[in-house]
Amino acid sequence: MIVLSENARKELEAYFADKERQTIRVYLAPGGCSGPRLVLALDEPGDEDARFEQDGFAFCINNELLQQVKGISIDLSYLGFTVTPEVPLPSSGGSSCGGCCGSCGSHQ
């Protein structure tokens, strides 16, 4: 259910190089102009979570969220980790840079 890219795996290995490995939660964060998005955080799994091991790392995700997204891919970009659902999340209905907060686009 979780696919971890080589670059993401290397980044996680570097992060945990001098720390005890903890469970990594995949969760739904509220979004601004683009709507909600999947993100990562260190957290302990709960009773409502599915748990996975991938490339030596432990992941957890809420069962209901997992049913919605079916699976996820974790990669690395210049902005950090990108978490892409197999089934796209519903958008907020607005455009990705329609001026909801005025900071998305380039304004002169």
Side-chain angles (χ1 to χ4, degrees):
M1 294 285 186
I2 292 180
V3 176
L4 190 62
S5 76
E6 183 72 14
N7 287 336
R9 183 190 58 77
K10 287 179 181 177
E11 186 69 16
L12 287 173
E13 286 176 349
Y15 177 79
F16 286 113
D18 59 350
K19 301 174 188 67
E20 181 179 338
R21 288 191 181 186
Q22 297 177 306
T23 302
I24 302 164
R25 174 172 296 281
V26 178
Y27 72 99
L28 189 62
C33 299
S34 300
R37 67 193 186 291
L38 294 176
V39 295
L40 304 176
L42 299 178
D43 191 20
E44 289 299 315
D47 294 337
E48 305 277 322
D49 293 324
R51 298 171 184 139
F52 301 95
E53 292 281 332
Q54 183 65 39
D55 295 330
F57 296 97
F59 293 89
C60 68
I61 182 172
N62 178 274
N63 283 313
E64 288 182 24
L65 179 57
L66 180 59
Q67 287 178 355
Q68 181 182 353
V69 300
K70 305 297 183 206
I72 60 164
S73 297
I74 302 171
D75 201 356
L76 191 66
S77 76
Y78 67 95
L79 295 173
F81 290 104
T82 59
V83 185
T84 306
E86 187 176 311
V87 175
L89 296 167
S91 68
S92 61
S95 68
S96 61
C97 281
C100 62
C101 56
S103 62
C104 296
S106 60
H107 296 283
Q108 305 270 2

